[in-house]
Amino acid sequence: YADVVLLVEGASERILFSRILEEKFRYYENDGGYILQVDGISFKEYITILEKLGIKTIVKTDNDLKLNEDKKEINYLGMNRCFDIIKKTKLNNKGSIDIKEYKDNVEYKKDLQKKIYLKKHIKEFIKNDIFLSEIDLENDLYNIIPEAMDKLKRNNGSKKSAVDYLQTAKQINMIELCNLLDDEEINRIYENPLFECLKSMVKICSH
């Protein structure tokens, strides 16, 4: 059995995190660590089972938003997923959303995600070993390693943005990105607060 399991949404996170830990803490599995993809967002079911087995869990999830056009509200799916895990009151939905901007302007949605990424909530999640992306895996990564992601899309002749390209054929493209990463870029990701889930697992495995 593992002593600590890092729960992630899908293959992209598992591939990236395995690549980083290969350099930063190669034998983490020997020391009781494991990365498990839940293939979605059903973290609570996994947590319940793993805790009954005496296994500690760490969660890494995206800061998802969903538009309710009828009510002109934003559902804070990512934030409320975290509140649900720690059994705390969820955020109320927010009205007065510019529907057209939300649907047509990617940056408008990103701005909303950043605005709800409040330190007081994030600190509470981290205390419970829950790590929420500011936006999502690919956008957070681009803030840290834009050069590598731009190189990936250029190598493949894509006219999409680096983020959009990485979000298509996710598993294949993430493997290729991981092959491009050098030691300095891996260290940048590992040291960035948005990927603190990795340090959390290393710390537990090291004790």
Side-chain angles (χ1 to χ4, degrees):
Y1 284 9
D3 296 316
V4 55
V5 171
L6 171 55
L7 296 169
V8 299
E9 292 188 9
S12 293
E13 290 90 348
R14 178 180 53 79
I15 292 165
L16 175 67
F17 294 169
S18 295
R19 172 72 178 95
I20 294 169
L21 290 174
E22 181 183 326
E23 299 298 328
K24 305 305 293 187
F25 190 50
R26 177 165 294 185
Y27 301 108
Y28 69 94
E29 288 188 337
N30 291 343
D31 287 334
Y34 191 76
I35 301 172
L36 178 64
Q37 67 184 67
V38 305
D39 291 322
I41 54 173
S42 300
F43 293 104
K44 284 186 71 176
E45 289 83 352
Y46 285 88
I47 292 170
T48 299
I49 294 170
L50 291 168
E51 286 184 344
K52 287 181 179 179
L53 295 172
I55 298 172
K56 183 172 179 55
T57 58
I58 299 170
V59 172
K60 182 71 170 79
T61 190
D62 287 344
N63 187 11
D64 301 315
L65 298 180
K66 184 178 180 181
L67 175 67
N68 184 326
E69 289 194 52
D70 294 333
K71 295 183 179 180
K72 297 183 179 180
E73 291 179 341
I74 290 293
N75 294 327
Y76 300 124
L77 300 181
M79 294 286 287
N80 285 335
R81 184 180 309 134
C82 299
F83 281 122
D84 190 36
I85 293 172
I86 63 177
K87 300 176 182 178
K88 292 291 182 72
T89 303
K90 297 180 181 180
L91 297 179
N92 292 324
N93 296 333
K94 182 178 179 181
S96 303
I97 298 300
D98 188 323
I99 301 293
K100 187 176 188 309
E101 282 293 310
Y102 186 93
K103 293 172 69 174
D104 300 337
N105 187 341
V106 174
E107 295 306 316
Y108 180 78
K109 181 178 179 181
K110 290 180 184 178
D111 286 342
L112 288 175
Q113 288 170 297
K114 291 177 181 178
K115 284 178 182 177
I116 64 169
Y117 194 78
L118 302 175
K119 288 183 179 180
K120 62 179 181 179
H121 297 320
I122 302 308
K123 286 181 179 179
E124 186 172 13
F125 297 154
I126 291 173
K127 285 180 183 177
N128 290 275
D129 289 302
I130 300 170
F131 298 87
L132 182 71
S133 298
E134 183 178 48
I135 296 177
D136 56 31
L137 176 67
E138 294 83 7
N139 278 284
D140 287 1
L141 266 183
Y142 192 73
N143 286 330
I144 304 168
I145 53 164
E147 303 90 348
M149 289 176 62
D150 286 335
K151 182 178 181 180
L152 174 66
K153 72 146 190 168
R154 285 198 308 271
N155 287 352
N156 289 278
S158 176
K159 295 182 180 179
K160 295 180 179 180
S161 71
V163 168
D164 287 344
Y165 181 74
L166 191 56
Q167 288 176 335
T168 59
K170 286 187 175 184
Q171 188 166 340
I172 295 171
N173 290 338
M174 184 57 77
I175 291 171
E176 190 172 345
L177 176 65
C178 286
N179 289 334
L180 291 175
L181 297 178
D182 59 29
D183 290 346
E184 191 273 335
E185 288 165 332
I186 286 173
N187 194 58
R188 259 195 275 164
I189 298 169
Y190 184 74
E191 295 295 336
N192 193 283
L194 291 172
F195 291 92
E196 194 174 344
C197 59
L198 296 170
K199 279 189 173 181
S200 180
M201 187 167 76
V202 168
K203 182 179 179 181
I204 294 168
C205 291
S206 301
H207 285 79

